């Protein structure tokens, strides 16, 4: 096998593997190095997202939502179930199968695009050389014309709380529970806390979520986070804001979590503790001396707006660089870099990156919140439409939530769209496309939406921005 490649990608997650595939499509010779190892020691491409993030979490969310709906919603449809039960082992087996299928699929895609997969550690040396250490310790020095760093991120640890991989776990551990904990605590009411907290809550765990900030979901539109908090409370997620965790200690009756809040010092005793307080860039043993690549004070690889590092022909994409830690953001960066390498146009529109929280109801948004638009000095007009007024949502027994559109009052340009409700993560795609083309609310108003669909809620929200909604009174 050649030790020389046009492009070497270090990291085979959702930022790295698309970069490798696109480079292959661009007729470049490409190797993709990835060191991921599963608990059983097997190697797998796909990074955090496919192995221990997006995909397994969504598999668990799907299974547990079905169970929740069977308990709480089926009766309204006339579906009665005696002896409903849940089999955690079956859920975990299904999830493992989905993960396996997804990660093995990458090897097939690599084959199709002519990408050489290398499992082991990659380290960038000076002169566009990469030291590759296979899992058995064998070393080779590879030569590249371009290197793409896509080494991702890892869970942020919390001082005073040591992971033991069993009772005190990170998000990966929380995806692997073999049984439902009776008492569960999640530290961090962010995306992971809400998604994985929901999974285990739906199966009956008494779930407390401790959040350091006083405000719930501060990154979301204020109305959205208020509506979300109401639903989570109804579902029994006990979210405690302003809770500063000091330490977690293992004792015979469980994990003792010590925290302070407005009322003073508190202790919570639980069977399992999940720490989900954010992630940090992962660049361990990545950069040899004189690699020429700089890290910032938080450990992110420093790049410009085109994902170029300070060293010639070395690029970096995904969670290891600035910007939201989202799989789709990394994917677009990876593709754009592989195109830029061959002189093609590559673009990532950082202003139009959708966010989705896959809880029930789902939460999704793109662009500016009402608060952000106003703080930026924009005169805004707002249109909202509740799913309770959507025929399709009512037919689905899913009338919770709303669509909200924020547009510039003068130019009518859409500044942001915020959805909480059924299939919000799918509905947001239309909003992303609209904003990608700088659409106005009138553009959405004049676009025909099939009836009866959930997407009509977005159409009506656009109409409501001009007080011309049909299916709700305009105020
Ligand atoms: P990673 O996926 O972390 O991949 C990096 C890869 O590089 C890894 O395989 C790693 O082993 C390898 N690597 C690192 N260093 C080296 C080295 N020196 N040599 C060789 N290999 C190396 N995002 C979403 O958009 N939607 C979601 O629904 C979503 N759900 C999530 C759920 C959970 C529980 C978690 C933890 C994350 C979730 N995310 C989600 C975030 C998403 O997983 C990340 O944004 C995404 O995986 C980042 O992609 P990446 O390729 O940059 O890094
Ligand atoms: P996050 O940043 O979404 O949330 C972390 C939360 O923990 C914040 O609310 C923060 O205020 C809180 N926190 C921080 N320190 C704390 C402390 N000491 N005590 C209590 N609370 C504390 O991070 P996350 O949920 O860990 O997720 C990590 C990354 O993975 C995120 O960037 C997210 O975008 C990504 N992710 C995305 C999805 C999705 O797109 N659906 C799902 C899961 C994860």
């Amino acid at each position: 096998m050649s030790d020389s490649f046009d492009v070497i990608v270090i990291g085979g997650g959702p930022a790295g593997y698309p970069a490798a595939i696109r480079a292959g499509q661009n007729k470049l010779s490409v190797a993709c190095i990835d060191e991921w190892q599963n608990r059983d020691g097997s190697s797998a491409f796909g990074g955090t997202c496919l192995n221990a993030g997006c995909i397994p979490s969504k598999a668990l969310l799907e299974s547990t939502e079905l169970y929740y709906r069977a308990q709480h919603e089926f009766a309204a449809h006339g579906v009665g179930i005696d002896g409903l039960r849940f089999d955690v082992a079956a859920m975990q087996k299904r999830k493992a199968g989905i993960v396996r299928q997804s990660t093995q699929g990458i090897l097939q895609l690599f084959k199709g695009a002519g990408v050489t997969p290398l499992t082991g550690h990659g380290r960038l040396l000076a002169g566009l050389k990469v030291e590759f250490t296979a899992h058995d310790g064998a070393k080779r020095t590879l030569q590249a014309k371009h290197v793409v760093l896509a080494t991702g991120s890892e869970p942020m640890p919390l001082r005073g709380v040591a992971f033991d991989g069993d009772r005190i776990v990170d998000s990966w551990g929380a995806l692997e529970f073999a049984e439902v904990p009776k008492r569960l605590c999640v530290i961090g009411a962010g995306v992971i806390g809400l998604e994985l907290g929901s999974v285990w809550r739906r199966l009956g765990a008494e779930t407390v979520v401790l959040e350091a900030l006083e405000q719930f979901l501060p990154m979301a539109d204020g109305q959205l986070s208020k509506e979300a908090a109401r639903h989570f409370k109804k579902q029994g997620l006990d979210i405690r804001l302003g809770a500063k965790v000091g330490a977690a200690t293992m004792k015979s009756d469980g994990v003792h979590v010590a925290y302070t809040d407005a009322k003073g010092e508190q202790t919570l005793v639980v069977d399992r503790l999940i720490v989900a307080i954010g992630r940090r860039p992962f660049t361990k043993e990545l950069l040899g001396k004189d690699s020429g690549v700089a890290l910032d004070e938080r450990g992110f690889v420093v790049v410009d707006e085109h994902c170029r590092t300070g060293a010639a022909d070395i690029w970096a994409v995904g969670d290891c660089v600035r910007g939201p830690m989202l799989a789709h953001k990394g994917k677009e960066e990876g593709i754009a870099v592989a195109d830029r390498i061959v002189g093609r146009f590559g673009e990532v529109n950082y202003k139009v990156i959708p966010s989705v929280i896959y809880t029930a109801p789902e939460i999704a948004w793109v662009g500016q919140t009402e608060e952000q638009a106003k703080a930026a000095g924009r005169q805004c007009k707002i249109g909202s439409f509740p799913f309770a007024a959507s025929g399709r949502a009512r037919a689905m027994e899913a009338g919770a939530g709303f669509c909200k559109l924020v547009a510039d009052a003068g130019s009518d340009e859409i500044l942001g769209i915020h959805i909480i409700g059924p299939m919000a993560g799918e509905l947001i795609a239309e909003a992303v496309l609209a904003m990608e083309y700088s659409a106005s609310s009138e553009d959405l108003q004049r676009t025909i939406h099939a009836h009866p669909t959930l997407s009509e809620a977005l159409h009506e929200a656009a109409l409501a921005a001009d007080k011309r909604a049909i299916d709700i009174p305009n105020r």
Side-chain angles (χ1 to χ4, degrees):
M1 187 203 305
S2 166
D3 281 346
S4 245
F5 296 91
D6 293 325
V7 179
I8 296 178
V9 182
I10 306 181
Y17 88 76
I21 288 174
R22 175 53 58 88
Q25 289 168 348
N26 286 342
K27 311 274 179 252
L28 299 172
S29 62
V30 196
C32 183
I33 303 175
D34 192 283
E35 67 183 3
W36 186 278
Q37 284 187 293
N38 285 308
R39 301 257 149 95
D40 61 3
S42 59
S43 303
F45 280 82
T48 307
C49 176
L50 273 70
N51 289 289
C54 325
I55 300 304
S57 62
K58 268 77 248 178
L60 300 190
L61 280 158
E62 196 63 36
S63 301
T64 56
E65 191 180 345
L66 285 178
Y67 181 58
Y68 186 88
R69 295 190 66 193
Q71 286 174 305
H72 299 276
E73 290 172 19
F74 280 17
H77 292 271
V79 181
I81 305 173
D82 290 328
L84 182 70
R85 57 182 192 87
F86 197 88
D87 182 343
V88 175
M91 170 180 78
Q92 292 291 19
K93 191 171 164 209
R94 187 185 91 96
K95 177 205 74 182
I98 292 164
V99 168
R100 209 170 27 253
Q101 197 184 18
S102 310
T103 58
Q104 286 174 358
I106 293 179
L107 289 175
Q108 292 307 314
L109 296 173
F110 276 177
K111 215 175 186 177
V115 175
T116 302
L118 295 172
T119 53
H121 184 78
R123 186 159 160 266
L124 180 68
L125 308 176
L128 287 165
K129 288 188 172 25
V130 173
E131 179 187 74
F132 167 64
T133 310
H135 287 308
D136 64 7
K139 283 190 193 302
R140 278 161 63 189
T141 301
L142 312 175
Q143 180 68 52
K145 291 182 185 151
H146 290 263
V147 176
V148 183
L149 307 175
T151 52
S153 62
E154 62 176 351
M156 192 104 77
L158 179 57
R159 197 143 46 93
V161 182
F163 293 119
D164 75 343
D166 177 26
R167 294 214 277 171
I168 304 181
V169 297
D170 61 14
S171 52
W172 193 5
L175 292 165
E176 302 293 326
F177 292 161
E179 57 195 43
V180 182
K182 187 168 174 327
R183 301 162 302 174
L184 174 68
C185 174
V186 187
I187 305 180
V191 196
I192 293 181
L194 294 173
E195 289 186 355
L196 296 184
S198 292
V199 162
W200 298 108
R201 172 67 205 136
R202 288 169 187 168
L203 298 182
E206 292 161 20
T207 306
V208 177
V209 184
L210 299 177
E211 167 59 49
L213 298 179
E214 299 288 347
Q215 200 190 340
F216 178 60
L217 281 184
M219 65 286 204
D221 183 272
Q223 273 179 297
L224 229 73
S225 40
K226 213 162 139 200
E227 175 80 359
R230 206 168 62 77
H231 287 287
F232 294 138
K233 191 168 177 196
K234 215 165 105 192
Q235 291 161 15
L237 267 184
D238 178 356
I239 300 171
R240 301 183 189 172
L241 301 176
K244 313 256 177 323
V245 176
T249 331
M250 210 86 77
K251 295 195 179 165
S252 58
D253 61 341
V255 183
H256 286 230
V257 185
Y259 67 96
T260 43
D261 63 10
K263 291 188 211 126
E265 292 190 3
Q266 315 276 353
T267 303
L268 185 69
V269 184
V270 292
D271 303 303
R272 305 260 179 167
L273 173 63
I274 303 170
V275 180
I277 58 163
R279 296 177 62 83
R280 62 184 182 191
F282 182 78
T283 54
K284 198 172 157 200
E285 288 165 33
L286 173 66
L287 304 174
K289 258 195 217 150
D290 309 324
S291 70
V293 173
L295 303 181
D296 71 12
E297 65 287 350
R298 292 195 297 152
F300 288 97
V301 177
V302 177
V303 287
D304 67 9
E305 71 273 29
H306 302 296
C307 295
R308 280 193 189 90
T309 69
D313 301 324
I314 298 175
W315 312 72
V317 295
D319 278 13
C320 69
V321 304
R322 82 291 172 264
M325 288 184 166
L326 293 172
H328 41 283
K329 173 263 196 186
K331 178 179 184 181
E332 291 310 312
E333 287 181 333
I335 291 170
V337 160
D339 281 340
R340 284 173 193 141
I341 285 173
V342 291
R344 288 212 174 119
F345 181 71
E347 196 228 343
V348 181
N349 184 354
Y350 290 97
K351 286 194 187 141
V352 187
I353 298 177
S355 295
V356 182
I357 307 178
Y358 296 83
T359 46
E362 268 182 19
I363 301 166
W365 69 88
V366 59
Q368 290 182 312
T369 64
E370 181 179 347
E371 296 80 10
Q372 287 165 344
K374 286 183 173 161
R378 294 274 201 160
Q379 293 289 320
C380 301
K381 56 182 181 180
I382 308 294
S384 288
F385 186 84
F387 282 104
S390 149
R392 184 66 189 276
R394 282 200 303 264
M396 291 166 68
E397 201 64 32
F402 56 84
C403 267
K404 172 174 173 178
L405 176 141
V406 181
D408 186 279
S411 69
D412 196 33
E413 183 186 352
I414 299 170
L415 303 176
I417 292 181
H418 310 273
I419 308 176
I420 176 164
M423 310 298 280
E426 301 297 329
L427 295 176
I428 203 69
E430 179 185 355
V432 176
L433 191 66
M435 288 188 65
E436 190 63 44
Y437 285 88
S438 307
S440 61
S441 77
E442 187 183 346
D443 289 326
L444 275 191
Q445 292 172 18
R446 293 187 183 277
T447 302
I448 299 176
H449 291 70
H451 176 75
T453 60
L454 297 171
S455 68
E456 286 173 296
L458 185 51
H459 185 220
E460 286 281 329
L463 289 164
D466 283 331
K467 304 202 183 314
R468 291 162 67 83
I470 301 297
D471 290 333
I472 45 164
N474 293 284
R475 283 184 241 280

